[in-house]
Amino acid sequence: MIVLTGGAGFIGSCFLKKLNDKGISDILVVDRLSDSTKWKNLIGKEFDDYTHKVTFRDNLHKGFYNNKIEAIIHFGACSATTEPDVDYLFDNNLSYTKELALYAVERNLPFIYASSAATYGDGALGYSDQIFDDLKPLNAYGMSKHLFDLWAIRKGIIDKIIGIKFFNVFGPNEYHKEGMTSMVYKSFHQVRDTAKVKLFRSYKENYKDGEQQRDFVYIKDAIEVLWNMFEKYTNKGIFNLGTGKARSWNDLAESVFKAMKKDIHIEYVNMPDNLINQYQYFTEADTNKLMTSDYAHNFLTLEESIDDYVNNHLDLEFPYF
């Protein structure tokens, strides 16, 4: 049995589909659905069972799953960069991940977990997945991920597991993330409803409005990399998962307009006060480690990715992947 935490979430549900496409359905989906709509991401998927993450953690401690688990794929984290409850973040993203990592390593099981590009902070030290000790995350979410990375390194188990520093992932099945949905998702709905896209103004002289840059990676590309990691499980350690090519918010918005065959109309608005001091103006994955590993992948361009997302998912009545 494969344990897939966060299996109803954005990345988790897309990976669940990939497992199904490969003929794998002996899967325990672990998540916390509460009153969200992400349960829809499970429609059409095949899996053995679903359990709430609190029940799963309790059962794990009781030995309920001993000799039943073959691998643990851990995407069940709180990914809200503005989450105010730091105790919750640290329990969910740090303590929970420690428990699962130790369980897997002690039993020699494959363990793949989600870290984040938020660990790099303002990027002053660059975005190399070989640098850890001196990183300074800008928010508690990034810190919770960073602390686990450091713990795994100092515990001496990082060479037995795989960690993934996701950059700006977008694509189908993200709809339930509300304020944390990608700007591609938001732009599509803004264009459809208002015929324009709103982007944040820049507060740094060396960046014009809308020219702040991110490493945007399409979920379908990310899933191919994840599948290679799961299937081969050869190279261990922490890997950046991004395209290695930063693009501007203007590029993103213009690509959405073009995919929707609409005239470009971008409006620049003030950034909320709570974001100004934790806003990343540039992110770009150093992909050397990934591209020289057994998991190397040829990524779609931003334009290709957005065109597929808009026309094959967002513009459909049933947009789930």
Side-chain angles (χ1 to χ4, degrees), residues 46 52 60 65 77 114 129 131 142 153 190 195 218 224 227 237 243 276 283 287 291 297 300 315 317:
E46 295 183 21
H52 190 283
L60 196 73
Y65 303 111
D129 45 18
I131 298 174
I153 293 168
Q190 288 180 23
Y218 195 31
E224 290 304 314
W227 170 254
T243 65
I276 290 177
T283 67
T287 60
M291 299 306 286
H297 177 73
L300 296 171
D315 209 24
E317 184 177 351

Side-chain angles (χ1 to χ4, degrees), residues 27 39 73 101 117 138 147 182 221 257 312:
I27 304 162
W39 62 269
I73 314 299
L138 296 176
L147 287 176
S182 73
D221 282 322
F257 280 109
N312 293 325

Side-chain angles (χ1 to χ4, degrees), residues 61-182:
H61 294 153
K62 292 177 179 178
F64 183 79
Y65 303 111
N66 288 351
N67 302 317
K68 298 179 181 179
I69 299 176
E70 299 173 14
I72 299 175
I73 314 299
H74 182 43
F75 298 147
C78 173
S79 59
T81 57
T82 55
E83 170 60 51
D85 189 340
V86 180
D87 284 328
Y88 167 69
L89 278 172
F90 277 33
D91 177 63
N92 195 68
N93 296 0
L94 177 59
S95 299
Y96 184 21
T97 312
K98 285 182 180 180
E99 293 166 13
L100 295 183
L102 287 176
Y103 184 94
V105 170
E106 289 169 357
R107 292 162 178 78
N108 198 31
L109 304 175
F111 180 71
I112 299 174
Y113 75 95
S115 182
S116 172
T119 58
Y120 291 115
D122 64 3
L125 298 178
Y127 295 92
S128 169
D129 45 18
Q130 315 259 13
I131 298 174
F132 300 98
D133 286 335
D134 297 324
L135 297 180
K136 295 179 176 60
L138 296 176
N139 51 55
Y141 162 72
M143 189 63 179
S144 68
K145 293 293 191 177
H146 179 52
L147 287 176
F148 177 79
D149 293 342
L150 290 178
W151 175 85
I153 293 168
R154 292 167 183 168
K155 192 75 175 178
I157 65 170
I158 200 62
D159 59 346
K160 299 176 182 177
I161 63 179
I162 296 176
I164 304 145
K165 292 199 176 191
F166 288 102
F167 277 66
N168 285 68
V169 187
F170 68 93
N173 293 18
E174 65 167 309
Y175 62 92
H176 65 277
K177 297 178 67 176
E178 298 180 345
M180 294 305 297
T181 53
S182 73

Side-chain angles (χ1 to χ4, degrees), residues 6-11 13-14 31 33 35-45 79 169-186 188-189 192 219 309 313-321:
F10 173 32
I11 296 175
S13 64
C14 289
D31 214 312
L33 299 176
D35 61 351
S36 76
T37 57
K38 66 181 178 180
W39 62 269
K40 294 180 180 179
N41 283 339
L42 297 177
I43 295 174
K45 309 295 195 303
S79 59
V169 187
F170 68 93
N173 293 18
E174 65 167 309
Y175 62 92
H176 65 277
K177 297 178 67 176
E178 298 180 345
M180 294 305 297
T181 53
S182 73
M183 197 59 209
V184 180
Y185 180 90
K186 293 174 181 175
F188 171 83
H189 289 90
R192 188 186 64 183
I219 185 63
Y309 187 21
H313 297 281
L314 288 175
D315 209 24
L316 301 181
E317 184 177 351
F318 189 82
Y320 316 113
F321 181 53

